[in-house]
Amino acid sequence: MPVTDIRIEVCNHHPARSDGRYILYWMNAARRLGWNFALQRAVAWAEKLQRPLLVVETLPCDRPHANLRHHHFALDGMADNARGMAHRSADYYPFVERESGEIAKLLTALGEQACLVVSDLHPLRESVRATQQLADRLPILLERVDSNGILPLQAADREFTTAYSLRRFLQRNLLPHLLHMLLADPLANASLISVPALPERIHKRWPAADHDLLTGSRNGLRLLPIGQDTGPVATRGGSVAARNVLQVFLREHLDLYHSRRNEPQQDVTSGLSPYLRWGHISSHEIVQRLLDLEGWHPSNLSLETRGQRSGWWGVRQDAEAFLDQLITWRELGYLFCARRDDYDRFESLPAWAQTTLLEHAADPRPYLYSLQQLETGQTHDPLWNAAQMQLIREGRLHNYLRMLWGKKILQWSPAPQQAMAIMLELNDRYALDGCDPNSYSGIGWVLGRFDRAWGPQRPVFGKIRYMSSRNTARKVAVDAYMTRYRP
Ligand SMILES: Cc1cc2nc3c(=O)[nH]c(=O)nc-3n(C[C@H](O)[C@H](O)[C@H](O)COP(=O)(O)OP(=O)(O)OC[C@H]3O[C@@H](n4cnc5c(N)ncnc54)[C@H](O)[C@@H]3O)c2cc1C
């Protein structure tokens, strides 16, 4: 099944070189061997040109917030991929960067012998820049392929400012893309020639991640120029763990999703966001498994396309609610970042939100906390402190508390721009799902993005939606949560 053109972006004007030694797939976002449009495209090229396929997965050391926690999680995924590729007809080269710039040099060297390069299309700046720079350097074709969501990024005709407007658009336009599913295992029936040995100088200069880094004690990470004081957490990364998490969610928690998903203590949400963030699982696979479970057929879809939050899919309420989060809310963030280069800046907030926040910037704050006080959970608010401790200890934070967490940072910071900077710092550094388009839509949401103006106006918040710990504790049970995550 060919990948549709709308998911493919051609990044330079060079043709594929017919005398190259292999097709190079640079895996840097969709870090998985199944349900991956870019891999599927690379396999199709390899079959067409009758050349071997070399898959190079890279882990950079110079991305914002590269740290031990994120590296461990990503390496679990690389270990799964190494195991998964062991008996395949394509070659897999996992590379962990030791100093900034190595990845670009390795890919340039490998690109010299390639027919063409296929890469992942991911909407964040660093990824767009790195792939474009490689495309500009190499004299061969480089294609970026979009595996991000059910709606291809190029299929949106405008910037969506609310979940409602995107939902309405999806209800009218999603079905053809949904039906164009991708292969669960693009390598399964591929007849590929095996890759000739790579030159010794490549192995010597840029050695592939060894057993210790992939599955051993990973002592080598201590030598890397990455954040050394943000340690790993118990949650394992990788496609195998992601599938287990999905299984547990579908079996044990989906039935409670609609009614209980805001309860931090019960925590029936899927826990899939870190795996989506690192590309260890695809939203296509999640959607397919869920729809299979529901016995769904396209004829279930409602003909009414008013942007209603439930009832469109024609599945149970719990499944509708989950699909709305996974598709509407998640893809809202991806689409936003794909269109706006300033997605993590104050200036990217809607004009009304900037205006009201700036009008109230000089309001007196009852409490002001430094980044360090916030980081260590030293505020007067025990629920907030507990949320921060969960983030630090487990690398995750329940969605409902995450909203409260952000709102309080706004209230306790000297200015909204500083609040935004603190949220970005803490979220992206500690959360396993941080540095994702949804980090910026979630933090932006705290400051009014994708939301509307609320009244009455309040100090500091102005017309921005307000949340308080007292109201949260009234709405959902938090006693056991606060005991569990006491600083
Ligand atoms: C201040 C703040 C910061 C946030 N930072 C991040 C972040 O760094 N990374 C991140 O992925 N999400 C972030 N979110 C959104 C949301 O909190 C998480 O996606 C969600 O909690 C993940 O848990 P889950 O996988 O169990 O979600 P589930 O409820 O099981 O939902 C399934 C999937 O839908 C998507 N989703 C769910 N809720 C949202 C939402 N509100 N916005 C966008 N997508 C959503 C996620 O991909 C999630 O994995 C943030 C929200 C706020 C308010």
Side-chain angles (χ1 to χ4, degrees), residues 16 41-42 54 57 77 81 111 123 158 175 185 224 236 253 314 325 344 355 378 399 407 428 432 442 448 486:
R41 176 75 176 170
L54 173 63
E57 183 176 1
N81 289 343
R158 69 194 117 134
L175 186 61
D185 185 356
L224 300 186
R236 304 286 307 199
H253 293 146
Q325 294 302 127
D344 54 353
T355 305
Q378 303 297 318
N399 181 49
K407 295 285 182 187
D428 282 355
L432 288 172
R486 208 191 296 276

Side-chain angles (χ1 to χ4, degrees), residues 245 249 257 261 267-277 283 286 321-334 396-407 409 423 427-428 431-446 450:
V245 168
F249 171 68
Y257 191 79
R261 75 188 177 87
D267 203 356
V268 300
T269 66
S270 69
L272 283 166
S273 58
Y275 302 99
L276 286 161
R277 146 69 177 95
S283 59
I286 301 172
F322 181 72
L323 288 169
D324 192 50
Q325 294 302 127
L326 180 67
I327 302 180
T328 313
W329 278 100
R330 177 172 179 272
E331 298 193 14
L332 188 61
Y334 274 72
R396 68 194 190 103
L397 184 48
H398 186 278
N399 181 49
Y400 199 63
L401 293 182
R402 212 165 191 174
M403 298 194 267
L404 175 72
W405 175 86
K407 295 285 182 187
I409 294 179
M423 281 189 268
N427 186 82
D428 282 355
L432 288 172
D433 62 8
C435 303
D436 181 85
N438 281 312
S439 315
Y440 311 116
S441 57
I443 289 165
W445 177 88
V446 166
F450 306 139

Side-chain angles (χ1 to χ4, degrees), residues 117-137:
V117 182
V118 176
S119 182
D120 295 321
L121 189 164
H122 190 265
L124 295 192
R125 277 191 301 269
E126 294 79 16
S127 176
V128 173
R129 204 176 296 142
T131 41
Q132 192 57 54
Q133 282 169 353
L134 184 66
D136 295 344
R137 246 189 338 264

Side-chain angles (χ1 to χ4, degrees), residues 255-273:
D255 289 351
L256 298 168
Y257 191 79
H258 176 67
S259 56
R260 317 295 295 171
R261 75 188 177 87
N262 282 340
E263 296 284 342
Q265 268 171 209
Q266 202 168 351
D267 203 356
V268 300
T269 66
S270 69
L272 283 166
S273 58

Side-chain angles (χ1 to χ4, degrees), residues 253-326:
H253 293 146
L254 177 62
D255 289 351
L256 298 168
Y257 191 79
H258 176 67
S259 56
R260 317 295 295 171
R261 75 188 177 87
N262 282 340
E263 296 284 342
Q265 268 171 209
Q266 202 168 351
D267 203 356
V268 300
T269 66
S270 69
L272 283 166
S273 58
Y275 302 99
L276 286 161
R277 146 69 177 95
W278 286 96
H280 294 162
I281 196 163
S282 144
S283 59
H284 284 84
E285 176 173 4
I286 301 172
V287 169
Q288 181 77 63
R289 298 232 187 282
L290 179 71
L291 292 179
D292 287 350
L293 197 70
E294 296 291 306
W296 182 84
H297 183 269
S299 61
N300 286 35
L301 288 182
S302 165
L303 295 177
E304 242 179 85
T305 55
R306 306 169 275 113
Q308 65 272 33
R309 228 189 290 179
S310 75
W312 182 67
W313 287 94
V315 290
R316 284 175 309 146
Q317 201 174 27
D318 295 298
E320 295 259 351
F322 181 72
L323 288 169
D324 192 50
Q325 294 302 127
L326 180 67

